[in-house]
Amino acid sequence: MTSHYEDMGSSRNGADDQSSYEEANLLYYFWLPAGKDEFGFEAQDRAPLAGAVSYKEFKEETIARHFRQQSRLLAQNHDSVGGMKTFGLLEPQDAELGLRKLHFPFTYHPSAAILDGVIPPYPIQGTTIILSNGLYLWSFRIKYSKNASDESVRAALVCFIKQDFVENCISRLFDLDCMPEPKRLKDDYKGILNYYQLDLLFNGLFDTEAHPYNFFDHQHVHPYTIRNVIYSASLYGFKQQYQPLWDLRGDYSQRGAMAAAKPMADTDMDLWRQHLRDATSSEQEQRELLLSRLSFSAMEQFIRVMIPFGLANYKAGLDHCRHDLIGDALLLRRNQASSDFLRPSLQANLLASDIEAYFLLLSAKMPAIVFFKDLMEDMIEVTHPLHLPPENREEWEKRQGWEEWRESRATLSEAEDQLSRQVDAIRSDLEAIQIFLAMAQSAAILTELGEARKLNEIEVEDPRRSVTLASRDWEQLTYWLTFVAVVLAAFQAYSGIGVWVMDFLLRNDLSSGHVPWWSIVIAVALWIPIALGLFLFYLRRRSRREQAMGKDDAKLAPPVRQVPNIFDCPFPRENMHGQQIEDLASQIRDEGLIDIATRRAGLELASVATFREAIPGAGERVKYSIESYPGDKSIAYTLHLEVDRQLHESSDRSEQLRNVRLVVRMPAGEYVSIDNIRWILQTYASRMIHASPQSDTARQYFQDRFGWSAT
């Protein structure tokens, strides 16, 4: 590979006037999440355990293997990638600093219009180094005019990187124009980043869905894109100067903390040789110092970009949730408003469901964030040079590049500490919110128990549940009273006979008994017609028992004890663009409910009940229960509507539909089509959600949300 570069350089030397140009290395580099295990190793396909990971798809391959396969696909039709033609093997190999790397030369054809005459319009030779610690480095051997000023040369080089190399080559390699949406990253992404890197970037650090302005206020925010991430992390180095290209965080060059004879690492060293086994110890040390120095500045740039534009947004959303929970807790327990300052950019009032959802979302992202923090600590540790650092001030001054390296390590340590503080703050906020949510859940359970007790009391007082006696019960009572009367009559008759017999035995005179014989005969005869009437009554009751029992059961059974069928249609929180709940209830009062059997409005209402629950800091929850009389086929039902209403400081108010439920009561032998039930649910829900409830959009909404739509 070195011979190839020398051949290319010698072919140009004859054409160029060497006396009018100078040469120097131009470095373009940035850092992205990586790691030795995720980077891969040489001949990984032939490893004994390679079959254990054969299930992985193309984008789940290691960084090195995915780069090799994807770069070949990108270059197969044009023999280059955006003007960059590579040479040699693209296999991972052992690298400096004890790492692994991809190292290969290339030739790049720049645009003559962008070089501005400062750089000759010839192909530029260079080399690419991708380290397993996450450093992506492109080194160009640049020739520039001796007569040009340093400012014009630097401006031309920056313009070349921004408008030429990045837009043509890097844009294709990383597929910068692809939006980081789940479906597009899976199917349409053609860049060299693998799933491991995309997951950390867009599922962990830069997630638009977790942006508080988007999550709570449902406002559009500028999406995180691959282009923006690469732009923000990009730096360039030229003549011992290291600066960002787009996100100007500061100058990462050495700022002269200590005086030294040769403080700077040599940026013009030979980077084309892949192996330094035969090089001197000084050459090896300088290569390691430069790569470590570049890695530190690139890591620092990435951290300083990621914190304000990534983690800080998560922290802002958690702070917003925590402040809202504090305010609710104080209002509930002390009737006292919170004095915490709120962010003016975010809405002050939140629903409990929003807070719980955001808590769950950030809790799911916390493992990825902690993993990234630990990854940064490990990558910083393994990026130290293998050569022993100087031990005293004299060695620091004599050994070239170490003073600059120490300063870059110190500034990176400060950024690393800032990252640790931010992650610890997010973890503390999640723990605090978890405590608040547990307290709120306990309060909700107590409230539900209180509501259940109230409902039981109301149910007991319901006049429909009073006990009444039916005709069948009266007949049974009459039967038993008559039976008792017959027994008493028989007892009276036989007691009279006993008295008469006793007098006859004592006086031996039948005519002298105190009880006349005819009275005994009448007493005995009394129960004969009664017994005959009871017998006839028994026969009659037996013949009418089935019919009487059916009628009486129908009279006794309350409406709620008919065969109940519940159809529940929950909406987590759906913004209402149609009728408000009061307007819909008023319309139902005027028109009546829709008959389930016929789908025609006009079903007479039995009752309309309302329930309003004040939610501290979030407005109120409004519930309507509209009950109908039995309609066609003796089918009655109750329509339950539930809406959350948020009150703002202005006169505007927003409503979110939470639930639409039908409790249908029908005779045991009746049947109602489920399509009619769905049609009624869709009709009433669409009137509140959509401005045009009968449109195709409303039907498509139910098809997408629930998998069905009624026509």
Side-chain angles (χ1 to χ4, degrees):
M1 298 177 187
T2 304
S3 61
H4 168 80
Y5 171 72
E6 292 174 349
D7 292 341
M8 293 294 294
S10 62
S11 64
R12 283 177 25 212
N13 289 341
D16 294 333
D17 186 6
Q18 300 296 328
S19 61
S20 61
Y21 291 103
E22 292 185 359
E23 287 188 340
N25 285 347
L26 171 63
L27 307 177
Y28 170 67
Y29 64 101
F30 53 83
W31 184 91
L32 292 176
K36 224 174 184 182
D37 293 336
E38 290 295 335
F39 189 82
F41 52 90
E42 187 176 358
Q44 183 172 350
D45 298 342
R46 298 190 295 272
L49 294 177
V53 295
S54 60
Y55 68 92
K56 291 185 177 180
E57 295 186 2
F58 176 63
K59 291 184 177 64
E60 298 177 272
E61 299 289 349
T62 59
I63 295 174
R65 184 178 181 185
H66 186 68
F67 176 86
R68 182 176 69 252
Q69 296 177 349
Q70 193 63 30
S71 60
R72 288 174 179 172
L73 291 176
L74 293 174
Q76 64 183 357
N77 295 327
H78 306 282
D79 197 30
S80 66
V81 181
M84 183 181 72
K85 184 177 181 180
T86 62
F87 304 94
L89 299 177
L90 300 179
E91 292 290 342
Q93 55 184 292
D94 293 336
E96 298 79 0
L97 308 172
L99 302 172
R100 296 193 183 104
K101 67 178 179 179
L102 292 174
H103 194 155
F104 53 89
F106 65 84
T107 300
Y108 186 76
H109 297 267
S111 173
I114 295 178
L115 298 180
D116 197 22
V118 178
I119 303 172
Y122 299 117
I124 301 175
Q125 310 304 315
T127 186
T128 301
I129 299 177
I130 302 176
L131 293 179
S132 59
N133 67 350
L135 178 67
Y136 289 77
L137 170 64
W138 288 265
S139 176
F140 302 88
R141 192 62 180 172
I142 297 293
K143 286 189 175 185
Y144 60 93
S145 175
K146 290 182 179 180
N147 299 326
S149 63
D150 291 342
E151 292 77 10
S152 61
V153 172
R154 194 174 299 275
L157 294 177
V158 170
C159 183
F160 159 69
I161 295 176
K162 283 185 174 182
Q163 301 180 21
D164 190 340
F165 183 71
V166 172
E167 289 301 318
N168 294 325
C169 179
I170 299 298
S171 179
R172 293 198 63 193
L173 274 178
F174 291 87
D175 197 6
L176 300 185
D177 295 326
C178 184
M179 296 294 292
E181 299 175 358
K183 293 183 179 179
R184 296 194 64 181
L185 287 177
K186 178 181 178 182
D187 302 326
D188 300 337
Y189 179 67
K190 306 302 182 184
I192 63 174
L193 296 179
N194 67 348
Y195 172 78
Y196 166 80
Q197 296 172 302
L198 295 172
D199 176 60
L200 275 180
L201 289 175
F202 298 107
N203 290 339
L205 305 178
F206 300 101
D207 187 0
T208 307
E209 295 300 325
H211 196 291
Y213 195 56
N214 179 36
F215 191 90
F216 295 124
D217 292 345
H218 303 282
Q219 300 295 328
H220 175 73
V221 296
H222 191 277
Y224 299 112
T225 63
I226 299 176
R227 179 180 295 275
N228 291 339
V229 173
I230 298 295
Y231 278 14
S232 300
S234 294
L235 302 98
Y236 80 98
F238 184 71
K239 289 186 176 182
Q240 289 78 38
Q241 298 294 319
Y242 311 96
Q243 293 181 356
L245 284 167
W246 281 276
D247 195 306
L248 304 180
R249 291 278 155 182
D251 190 345
Y252 291 96
S253 306
Q254 197 249 5
R255 287 177 281 272
M258 295 176 58
K262 296 180 180 179
M264 300 293 185
D266 184 13
T267 57
D268 292 332
M269 69 175 61
D270 180 12
L271 294 176
W272 284 264
R273 286 192 294 173
Q274 297 186 9
H275 304 289
L276 294 176
R277 299 185 181 94
D278 301 328
T280 63
S281 177
S282 176
E283 291 177 339
Q284 294 177 3
E285 181 179 358
Q286 288 302 304
R287 173 80 74 89
E288 287 189 348
L289 277 175
L290 179 62
L291 294 179
S292 178
R293 172 74 176 83
L294 296 177
S295 298
F296 284 169
S297 60
M299 289 177 181
E300 182 179 353
Q301 174 74 5
F302 186 87
I303 292 176
R304 296 195 182 279
V305 167
M306 182 266 299
I307 290 177
F309 298 126
L311 297 187
N313 290 326
Y314 301 164
K315 182 66 169 58
L318 291 174
D319 287 342
H320 193 50
C321 295
R322 182 165 48 82
H323 292 325
D324 195 86
L325 289 171
I326 292 174
D328 293 347
L330 290 177
L331 284 175
L332 180 63
R333 289 164 174 80
R334 295 194 58 182
N335 196 23
Q336 173 184 340
S338 173
S339 59
D340 289 351
F341 293 102
L342 300 177
R343 291 180 178 268
S345 59
L346 298 178
Q347 182 181 341
N349 298 329
L350 297 178
L351 294 175
S353 58
D354 287 339
I355 297 177
E356 293 177 358
Y358 197 73
F359 168 77
L360 294 176
L361 178 60
L362 265 296
S363 297
K365 294 189 179 303
M366 197 61 199
I369 296 174
V370 174
F371 175 82
F372 174 78
K373 181 181 78 71
D374 296 338
L375 176 68
M376 289 298 305
E377 295 176 356
D378 295 340
M379 291 299 100
I380 293 172
E381 183 66 27
V382 301
T383 307
H384 283 67
L386 298 180
H387 289 74
L388 294 177
E391 297 181 355
N392 52 55
R393 183 182 182 88
E394 183 178 355
E395 286 192 33
W396 281 104
E397 293 179 354
K398 289 182 178 180
R399 295 173 62 179
Q400 180 180 357
W402 280 98
E403 180 183 352
E404 181 186 14
W405 177 87
R406 184 172 64 173
E407 184 176 4
S408 65
R409 179 66 181 89
T411 58
L412 176 59
S413 296
E414 191 276 331
E416 181 186 3
D417 293 339
Q418 184 180 358
L419 172 62
S420 298
R421 289 193 301 270
Q422 196 74 15
V423 174
D424 292 340
I426 292 176
R427 183 188 290 111
S428 299
D429 279 344
L430 288 175
E431 293 174 354
I433 292 175
Q434 186 177 17
I435 294 175
F436 276 112
L437 292 178
M439 295 173 60
Q441 186 178 11
S442 299
I445 292 175
L446 295 176
T447 302
E448 290 293 334
L449 293 176
E451 291 295 329
R453 187 186 70 251
K454 293 178 183 179
L455 292 176
N456 290 334
E457 294 174 355
I458 294 173
E459 188 175 356
V460 170
E461 297 174 358
D462 192 349
R464 292 180 299 176
R465 297 189 176 275
S466 59
V467 179
T468 58
L469 292 177
S471 59
R472 179 164 56 90
D473 299 321
W474 282 114
E475 291 174 358
Q476 291 182 351
L477 182 61
T478 304
Y479 170 77
W480 287 109
L481 291 176
T482 305
F483 179 76
V484 172
V486 170
V487 173
L488 292 177
F491 178 77
Q492 178 66 30
Y494 285 106
S495 63
I497 295 175
V499 172
W500 179 72
V501 172
M502 183 63 68
D503 289 341
F504 173 75
L505 294 175
L506 293 175
R507 301 181 181 182
N508 200 18
D509 186 3
L510 184 63
S511 61
S512 61
H514 292 79
V515 181
W517 63 270
W518 49 267
S519 63
I520 297 174
V521 174
I522 294 175
V524 173
L526 282 175
W527 59 271
I528 295 176
I530 295 176
L532 181 61
L534 287 175
F535 178 74
L536 296 176
F537 170 74
Y538 172 76
L539 294 178
R540 180 185 177 187
R541 188 171 68 89
R542 184 175 180 181
S543 63
R544 298 175 54 190
R545 177 178 299 175
E546 296 297 332
Q547 182 179 2
M549 289 180 63
K551 292 182 178 180
D552 292 339
D553 288 340
K555 293 179 181 179
L556 283 174
V560 294
R561 295 197 180 276
Q562 288 183 332
V563 179
N565 297 269
I566 300 176
F567 302 89
D568 193 58
C569 190
F571 298 83
R573 194 183 78 171
E574 190 65 40
N575 291 325
M576 296 170 51
H577 304 287
Q579 290 180 294
Q580 295 185 350
I581 189 170
E582 288 86 358
D583 299 335
L584 179 60
S586 177
Q587 181 181 0
I588 293 176
R589 283 192 179 98
D590 297 337
E591 300 177 357
L593 286 170
I594 300 174
D595 196 322
I596 294 179
T598 63
R599 291 192 180 187
R600 292 194 299 268
L603 194 60
E604 186 179 358
L605 304 184
S607 65
V608 178
T610 60
F611 176 79
R612 295 177 181 268
E613 177 185 3
I615 304 177
E620 61 178 351
R621 180 166 295 170
V622 183
K623 302 178 183 178
Y624 271 78
S625 295
I626 306 174
E627 185 179 3
S628 73
Y629 282 114
D632 194 15
K633 298 184 179 180
S634 300
I635 299 175
Y637 68 92
T638 302
L639 173 65
H640 297 277
L641 305 173
E642 183 176 344
V643 167
D644 279 349
R645 177 175 295 158
Q646 290 180 291
L647 304 177
H648 303 286
E649 295 181 358
S650 62
S651 59
D652 298 334
R653 64 182 184 183
S654 61
E655 292 185 345
Q656 292 82 33
L657 181 61
R658 297 301 301 271
N659 189 268
V660 177
R661 183 170 64 254
L662 292 183
V663 180
V664 182
R665 300 179 296 273
M666 64 182 70
E670 292 295 337
Y671 169 78
V672 175
S673 173
I674 188 64
D675 292 335
N676 292 0
I677 300 293
R678 289 175 174 174
W679 187 81
I680 293 178
L681 289 171
Q682 175 179 308
T683 298
Y684 287 123
S686 298
R687 290 182 182 180
M688 292 185 287
I689 297 176
H690 302 285
S692 301
Q694 302 300 328
S695 64
D696 294 336
T697 304
R699 288 189 290 271
Q700 186 63 36
Y701 167 83
F702 276 84
Q703 185 66 40
D704 296 339
R705 175 63 65 89
F706 302 106
W708 54 263
S709 62
T711 57

